[in-house]
Amino acid sequence: MMALVEPMIPSLRRYARSLLRDQSAADDLVQDCLERVISRWHQRRSDGHPRTWVFTILHNLAINRLKQSARRGVHLAVENVDEAAFATPPAQEERLHHGAILDALSLLPEDQRSVLLLVSVEDLSYAETASVLDIPIGTVMSRLSRARHRLARLMDDGPGQSATVGTALRSVK
């Protein structure tokens, strides 16, 4: 079991960080996921791929946490915030571009963002992504196409144009 799960930890951490956008919360999420994987290893389907099963657990835990935090709201005590959080962001172009991509990703709907991250960043196949998200493969392809298109438009238009992205209808002949 450990030989199969341990190599997945960096990918799990990366996916958790992209979903929660908080390093410590993502690390806690991965910890909870690994606890669940270890305690329920005997419950997994022997015909399925363990990577898909583990990512499904992580995804479901993340969705539960996001829903819970949406209900509770964001709490941030000023006393506990590092002074660096109040500093001006660096002016390096690469960092700005990276920030713009993360901002654009955050503007994507959760369903499109999840598909885009699983396929593009975590390198899961369409079938594995469909299994993780419990949706048909055609839906994965459709959401991935819309996410890529919308992300490209967001990157081209800039932050002020996000409201119009994806509202245009096309006719198919």
Side-chain angles (χ1 to χ4, degrees), residues 19 54 68 86 137 148:
L19 288 175
V54 172
Q68 184 181 40
F86 297 113
I137 292 177
R148 286 176 174 161

Side-chain angles (χ1 to χ4, degrees), residues 51-98:
R51 181 178 169 129
T52 305
W53 182 69
V54 172
F55 269 95
T56 301
I57 291 173
L58 181 78
H59 180 80
N60 290 338
L61 287 172
I63 295 303
N64 290 342
R65 287 207 181 167
L66 290 171
K67 287 179 182 177
Q68 184 181 40
S69 68
R71 283 191 310 265
R72 291 183 178 173
V74 178
H75 174 72
L76 183 61
V78 175
E79 304 84 36
N80 298 335
V81 176
D82 185 23
E83 289 183 30
F86 297 113
T88 306
Q92 291 89 352
E93 187 174 333
E94 183 178 330
R95 178 110 173 148
L96 292 174
H97 182 67
H98 178 68

Side-chain angles (χ1 to χ4, degrees), residues 1 12 17 25 27 69 86 129 152 161 173:
M1 172 184 63
L12 291 170
R17 284 181 183 172
D27 289 342
S69 68
F86 297 113
T129 301
Q161 304 296 323
K173 295 180 181 181

Side-chain angles (χ1 to χ4, degrees), residues 42-172:
H42 64 282
Q43 294 177 348
R44 73 178 180 84
R45 294 165 69 199
S46 59
D47 60 342
H49 195 275
R51 181 178 169 129
T52 305
W53 182 69
V54 172
F55 269 95
T56 301
I57 291 173
L58 181 78
H59 180 80
N60 290 338
L61 287 172
I63 295 303
N64 290 342
R65 287 207 181 167
L66 290 171
K67 287 179 182 177
Q68 184 181 40
S69 68
R71 283 191 310 265
R72 291 183 178 173
V74 178
H75 174 72
L76 183 61
V78 175
E79 304 84 36
N80 298 335
V81 176
D82 185 23
E83 289 183 30
F86 297 113
T88 306
Q92 291 89 352
E93 187 174 333
E94 183 178 330
R95 178 110 173 148
L96 292 174
H97 182 67
H98 178 68
I101 291 172
L102 291 177
D103 289 344
L105 273 172
S106 70
L107 294 174
L108 292 177
E110 190 277 325
D111 57 344
Q112 291 179 9
R113 184 174 56 246
S114 294
V115 169
L116 182 67
L117 292 171
L118 287 171
V119 171
S120 301
V121 177
E122 300 306 332
D123 202 28
L124 265 63
S125 69
Y126 291 177
E128 290 172 330
T129 301
S131 178
V132 167
L133 300 176
D134 194 28
I135 56 176
I137 292 177
T139 304
V140 168
M141 294 187 296
S142 174
R143 287 181 184 174
L144 181 61
S145 174
R146 286 190 310 243
R148 286 176 174 161
H149 176 71
R150 185 176 237 177
L151 187 62
R153 292 265 317 264
L154 285 169
M155 293 304 295
D156 289 342
D157 293 343
Q161 304 296 323
S162 62
T164 60
V165 175
T167 58
L169 297 175
R170 298 183 319 186
S171 63
V172 179

Side-chain angles (χ1 to χ4, degrees), residues 8-32:
M8 287 187 249
I9 293 175
S11 295
L12 291 170
R13 290 182 77 204
R14 191 171 40 245
Y15 184 54
R17 284 181 183 172
S18 64
L19 288 175
L20 298 180
R21 297 180 207 109
D22 180 344
Q23 182 176 353
S24 62
D27 289 342
D28 290 343
L29 178 67
V30 171
Q31 172 97 19
D32 291 346

